[in-house]
Amino acid sequence: MRFGLSVFGTTYAMGLHPRAGRPKISAEGVINMALQNGLQGVELPLSMLAGSDHKAIASKVEANELYITIASDGFDAARLGEAFDMAKSVGAKVVRTVAGGAKFGGDRRHLVGKWQPFLQEAREGLAAATALAEEAGVTLALENHQDLCSEELIWLCESIASPNFGLTLDTGNPLATAEEPVEFAKRISPYLKHVHLKDYWIYPSAEGYMLVRCPIGQGAVDFPALMEVFRVSQAARTLCMSIEIGALEARHTRVLADDYWPEYPARSARELAELLRCVQRNARPTADWRTPHERSESVEIVAAYEQSQLMSSIAYVQQLMYSLNTSKPEEEAIS
């Protein structure tokens, strides 16, 4: 298993946010940052690669034995086909995408009565795109982007039934679809192709809870338990995990509201209890949970906040890497 760097979550510090007021980091700059911090790969948006020297990137990735993943979006086969072409040119094996539909926080209320047709449309597009991925020799990995729940992701994988289609697990996002992260990971592990390492602080609300970004390892996600799930998965030997700190806007997951549930699959009492135990165990005291961005603080303060959380996250990931590399011999045979 290898750990790398994503640009999402540090858009001010990297000059990618419209308000950043500083030069945008390049694809080569992200690769250099990963190397400087002892990481083993990068995840780059398709848009960032569009104006880059693809041969130079491919050479640098190969020379440093890095992985590279491309971040795309949607389920339009033609657009994803362009991402597959880009993947081939820079040496990427995985293209990540998202289905969308729901609003952040798992909110499907605007699609009441329309969710199932949306899922069918997504399935048709993803199936067509997977055929192109097979031709290109790359893997399409659909993320749980606070939109699709585990039942729907598994249905898509079983329905499309291709080794070139699977899932990107965002470790924090199961909380937005009312699922406990470790149990979510266990359910989808047969289809795992890629991971986003993300964590959240949880602040209870009258209708559910707020998910607020935090450094990896400081929030509600049990990363040691997740590592054990990953170690025994089919993808363990080649699994790549990108650090992706959460968005600058908190996500409100209204699981206690009646209108949260109508477009979700039926859940058992045990499954809901798993979630509520996680929320109660990690609930933080009432406080001003807003990020500097949400408080409209200066660009410099927001960028420094992002950078501080990134460095804390990298330090925690380095500890994870060390613990995996110093595991017992019988465990190494699994990973």
Side-chain angles (χ1 to χ4, degrees):
M1 293 185 284
R2 295 188 287 175
F3 297 85
L5 180 64
S6 166
V7 303
F8 303 112
T10 48
T11 54
Y12 275 80
M14 293 185 176
L16 302 175
H17 194 280
R19 286 187 57 212
R22 62 183 66 194
K24 293 182 179 180
I25 195 169
S26 65
E28 294 88 344
V30 179
I31 293 171
N32 289 336
M33 184 181 294
L35 290 170
Q36 290 163 7
N37 286 282
L39 299 174
Q40 301 158 317
V42 293
E43 179 175 352
L44 302 175
L46 184 62
S47 58
M48 178 178 284
L49 287 164
S52 302
D53 184 336
H54 301 161
K55 289 185 178 179
I57 290 173
S59 296
K60 191 161 192 173
V61 166
E62 183 178 6
N64 290 281
E65 299 182 338
L66 302 176
Y67 78 81
I68 180 169
T69 298
I70 292 179
S72 188
D73 59 82
F75 46 81
D76 179 77
R79 173 174 170 76
L80 289 171
E82 295 174 4
F84 303 150
D85 291 339
M86 182 71 75
K88 291 173 64 177
S89 69
V90 298
K93 303 296 184 184
V94 173
V95 172
R96 160 268 192 193
T97 194
V98 301
K103 296 179 181 179
F104 290 121
D107 186 352
R108 303 180 178 186
R109 292 175 297 176
H110 62 296
L111 285 179
V112 170
K114 302 176 183 178
W115 184 254
Q116 290 305 316
F118 166 77
L119 276 184
Q120 291 294 335
E121 181 185 1
R123 187 225 169 270
E124 291 174 8
L126 291 168
T130 299
L132 298 178
E134 291 171 349
E135 294 176 7
V138 299
T139 295
L140 178 60
L142 178 66
E143 180 185 346
N144 60 314
H145 200 242
Q146 303 201 2
D147 45 17
L148 305 187
C149 57
S150 61
E151 297 95 332
E152 293 157 345
L153 293 167
I154 292 169
W155 168 72
L156 284 168
C157 290
E158 292 178 347
S159 174
I160 294 172
S162 168
N164 294 75
F165 179 77
L167 303 176
T168 290
L169 168 64
D170 183 299
T171 59
N173 283 348
L175 291 164
T177 54
E179 299 180 80
E180 193 280 324
V182 176
E183 292 302 314
F184 184 103
K186 290 177 182 177
R187 287 192 283 272
I188 70 160
S189 63
Y191 310 103
L192 194 58
K193 304 292 185 181
H194 179 231
V195 174
H196 284 168
L197 296 172
K198 182 189 289 178
D199 209 350
Y200 278 121
W201 283 322
I202 295 178
Y203 289 86
S205 72
E207 291 187 305
Y209 46 84
M210 306 296 298
L211 299 174
V212 180
R213 61 178 277 158
C214 71
I216 293 167
Q218 295 186 21
V221 178
D222 186 344
F223 286 98
L226 281 176
M227 291 302 123
E228 290 305 310
V229 175
F230 299 154
R231 287 167 73 100
V232 298
S233 73
Q234 298 176 25
R237 292 186 180 276
T238 58
L239 192 60
C240 298
M241 295 180 264
S242 302
I243 296 170
E244 189 198 51
I245 303 169
L248 289 162
E249 301 86 8
R251 311 308 197 191
H252 196 180
T253 302
R254 296 176 170 87
V255 297
L256 300 181
D258 290 340
D259 61 359
Y260 174 88
W261 292 101
E263 292 299 329
Y264 275 88
R267 295 271 170 78
S268 69
R270 182 187 63 80
E271 290 170 322
L272 184 58
E274 287 170 352
L275 169 74
L276 295 179
R277 280 195 296 268
C278 177
V279 170
Q280 288 187 339
R281 187 169 59 247
N282 293 284
R284 296 174 70 86
T286 301
D288 184 359
W289 43 259
R290 294 175 301 162
T291 68
H293 169 81
E294 291 171 302
R295 294 195 297 266
S296 299
E297 297 193 27
S298 70
V299 168
E300 291 74 21
I301 290 176
V302 179
Y305 163 84
E306 288 182 333
Q307 191 68 13
S308 174
Q309 289 199 336
L310 176 61
M311 290 300 103
S312 293
S313 297
I314 289 175
Y316 182 78
V317 167
Q318 295 285 13
Q319 291 179 341
L320 283 177
M321 292 170 60
Y322 177 79
S323 65
L324 289 172
N325 290 334
T326 57
S327 59
K328 297 177 182 178
E330 61 267 23
E331 292 174 334
E332 290 176 352
I334 297 175
S335 62

